[in-house]
Amino acid sequence: PTHYVRAYSSPSRPLPTGTSACMPPSQTLHIDLPTPSHTYALGVLLSQFADPGDAILLHATLGAGKTTLARGYIRGFVNDPRIPVTSPTYLLDNVYADDNGQGGVLPGVELHHMDLWRLEGEQRGRVTSFVDWPEILRNGVCLVEWPDRLPESFVPGCRLDIFLEIDEEKGKVDTISPRRGRLLGFGPKWKEALTDLLEECEFDEIDEEGELVHLKFQACSS
């Protein structure tokens, strides 16, 4: 297994928003994440598939690893393992880009890391009050924590949904408990990307300490 980089020849084209409820995923994968290093490394690996218009929605309870995965993705995206990455809970949207020619995946393209935890009830539709949502879905990349706060009409039809859950059967529940990941790809871009991951199956990727960790994907029927 080796570090994997995949460059797509053309940007993803988001399907219309608000159509996702009736669409089954194009591809679904399962991955065991024994340590936070594996969750971080999964983010680094997925960043290598980035295209303008990508939307990645992170579903999990508090402390299940959303921000850890996002930190790996962001650092892989900008090719900077030391860039500070903090939770955007209070700012709602943190923006990153490789503007300094560091060899990022998409130089000049903005990556939006959003945390919508605070947008409850009547606040759910306020995403457009702090970001240009249609513009991000055309030309940016977004990672969204607590995407259930998005109005259904805002959910892009072409996207990657990642569900993280704590594996309570393998030990006590804490910040280092094993996690399970389920990746649901919607649309042709993510069908191709997840099919590539499944065919290659096993990867070695870098964690936060610069060490290699092993990732293995499996087909998932649900």
Side-chain angles (χ1 to χ4, degrees):
T2 57
H3 175 75
Y4 187 72
V5 177
R6 171 64 190 271
Y8 287 87
S9 58
S10 61
S12 59
R13 301 296 181 186
L15 299 177
T17 57
T19 62
S20 58
C22 59
M23 294 175 59
S26 303
Q27 179 65 277
T28 305
L29 299 184
H30 169 86
I31 185 170
D32 288 323
L33 302 167
T35 70
S37 291
H38 288 79
T39 304
Y40 177 94
L42 175 61
V44 176
L45 176 63
L46 292 175
S47 73
Q48 308 307 303
F49 289 81
D51 281 320
D54 279 357
I56 299 177
L57 309 186
L58 304 177
H59 306 262
T61 57
L62 283 169
K66 297 184 299 296
T67 301
T68 298
L69 190 149
R71 188 163 60 249
Y73 188 101
I74 292 163
R75 289 176 174 172
F77 182 87
V78 301
N79 193 32
D80 184 350
R82 293 175 297 278
I83 187 172
V85 176
T86 58
S87 174
T89 301
Y90 294 101
L91 296 178
L92 299 179
D93 180 31
N94 290 340
V95 183
Y96 304 85
D98 175 19
D99 294 324
N100 300 316
Q102 298 182 122
V105 178
L106 295 173
V109 174
E110 290 187 341
L111 168 59
H112 293 257
H113 179 203
M114 304 180 198
D115 186 328
L116 307 184
W117 170 254
R118 295 169 61 198
L119 300 187
E120 296 187 90
E122 296 180 357
Q123 303 295 317
R124 289 168 68 94
R126 290 192 59 236
V127 174
T128 55
S129 69
F130 63 90
V131 298
D132 187 341
W133 189 244
E135 172 64 17
I136 292 172
L137 293 184
R138 284 192 299 267
N139 299 310
V141 174
C142 63
L143 290 169
V144 183
E145 299 186 35
W146 301 102
D148 58 301
R149 265 61 169 177
L150 279 173
E152 185 176 335
S153 61
F154 283 35
V155 177
C158 184
R159 68 188 189 277
L160 177 64
D161 281 303
I162 301 177
F163 292 84
L164 298 174
E165 61 180 13
I166 298 172
D167 190 348
E168 299 182 13
E169 297 179 358
K170 294 185 177 180
K172 65 179 182 179
V173 176
D174 55 28
T175 57
I176 61 173
S177 298
R179 268 61 170 164
R180 295 191 188 101
R182 192 158 47 97
L183 285 65
L184 281 69
F186 293 81
K189 182 274 173 67
W190 289 110
K191 179 179 181 180
E192 181 182 356
L194 296 192
T195 297
D196 285 351
L197 287 176
L198 184 59
E199 288 179 351
E200 189 76 12
C201 185
E202 299 187 42
F203 305 86
D204 286 332
E205 194 48 89
I206 301 295
D207 70 4
E208 290 192 77
E209 304 301 323
E211 301 293 333
L212 287 177
V213 296
H214 190 66
L215 301 173
K216 182 176 181 179
F217 293 92
Q218 299 174 329
C220 185
S221 59
S222 61

